[in-house]
Amino acid sequence: MKIFIPTNRHHILNEIHPEIRENAIIKDGTNVKCYSAMINECLAECADEDIIVICADRMRPKGEEDLFRMINLINEGYGFVGLYRFGFYALHMDAVRRVGPLDERYIKGTYEDGDYMRRFMEADIAFYEAEDIRVVDILSNFNPSNTQLAINHFKNKWDHIDGTCIRLLKEEKYNYNFGEDSGKVFLPWDRSVVFKHSENFKNFKFKDMSK
């Protein structure tokens, strides 16, 4: 397992629980083009690992207590476990190998989380999301000044009609090496734990109409 803290605000890292901070790799996000690219770089450093953990610099998990909770849920069969959305989360690398890297066409850092959840549905891998971690009230490093480009890309890529999630665009190809699939068996998508407003989404069918 590897833990990453992506940041360009090193002055606030001491506020993160030492059981997380002192075992983490600090990933400097100063010059990356977007959040997805930075996380893909972290994933590529885990080709020989089973689990990767990402802790945003404004997350305040309770050290090993929250870390082990995520790991236990991953071991139960969830491919993605977010104790605070895409702020403090764990991924099993076999899920990454099957779903693929994050989409780097999302500018800065918005909409890539909803995109990745739909791709877990496409791959029939269970997804777990919550808001159980305290968050410092500061903006994300990756909030764009204008979200319209990301919104447009999301709408061009996905549609939702009559209980069906429809893929309209294929994934871009990137040259990341995430290692060999170890054969992990995941819970199916319909066993996902999602926010109340997304409950109906668990029962959606999936259709690929990508060009």
Side-chain angles (χ1 to χ4, degrees):
M1 179 184 71
K2 285 185 179 179
I3 304 170
F4 290 87
I5 302 176
T7 188
N8 59 9
R9 298 181 288 208
H10 296 263
H11 61 285
I12 67 172
L13 295 184
N14 283 339
E15 300 173 20
I16 297 174
H17 198 293
E19 291 173 353
I20 302 294
R21 183 186 69 248
E22 293 174 5
N23 292 291
I25 298 168
I26 309 303
K27 191 73 172 179
D28 190 354
T30 303
N31 296 314
V32 297
K33 67 176 183 179
C34 63
Y35 179 80
S36 292
M38 183 175 61
I39 299 305
N40 287 338
E41 291 176 8
C42 295
L43 294 168
E45 293 183 32
C46 296
D48 297 324
E49 302 289 335
D50 289 332
I51 298 173
I52 177 174
V53 173
I54 303 291
C55 180
D57 61 10
R58 62 196 188 107
M59 299 291 127
R60 298 295 178 264
K62 300 172 186 174
E64 290 184 349
E65 175 184 340
D66 287 326
L67 183 63
F68 290 154
R69 182 182 167 201
M70 285 200 303
I71 293 169
N72 287 338
L73 287 164
I74 289 286
N75 289 337
E76 287 178 19
Y78 294 95
F80 172 97
V81 176
L83 292 191
Y84 195 94
R85 299 177 179 254
F86 255 52
F88 182 64
Y89 60 96
L91 283 155
H92 195 286
M93 285 301 298
D94 272 0
V96 174
R97 293 168 187 131
R98 297 173 204 177
V99 173
L102 276 70
D103 188 339
E104 298 180 9
R105 291 169 289 185
Y106 290 104
I107 304 303
K108 293 290 278 183
T110 185
Y111 282 86
E112 69 284 316
D113 49 355
D115 179 282
Y116 217 46
M117 184 173 78
R118 282 155 179 78
R119 292 167 62 190
F120 269 68
M121 180 177 70
E122 182 179 25
D124 196 26
I125 297 174
F127 192 95
Y128 187 106
E129 61 178 356
E131 288 184 339
D132 295 344
I133 302 299
R134 186 171 71 87
V135 183
V136 176
D137 189 19
I138 54 176
L139 285 177
S140 165
N141 275 329
F142 296 94
N143 272 5
S145 56
N146 183 350
T147 62
Q148 195 58 51
L149 289 175
I151 292 171
N152 290 345
H153 176 54
F154 186 86
K155 289 181 175 179
N156 288 335
K157 186 174 179 180
W158 305 103
D159 200 0
H160 310 88
I161 301 174
D162 297 330
T164 301
C165 179
I166 304 170
R167 173 187 281 279
L168 302 174
L169 291 178
K170 295 184 181 298
E171 297 301 322
E172 279 193 326
K173 301 293 185 182
Y174 306 119
N175 293 320
Y176 296 109
N177 176 14
F178 295 149
E180 296 296 322
D181 195 309
S182 69
K184 169 75 173 177
V185 176
F186 294 104
L187 295 170
W189 167 257
D190 63 10
R191 295 281 300 279
S192 295
V193 176
V194 296
F195 296 128
K196 188 173 181 179
H197 65 264
S198 299
E199 274 291 324
N200 289 339
F201 194 62
K202 284 169 55 177
N203 300 316
F204 270 35
K205 297 178 181 177
F206 187 86
K207 186 174 184 179
D208 188 349
M209 296 181 62
S210 55
K211 303 170 184 176

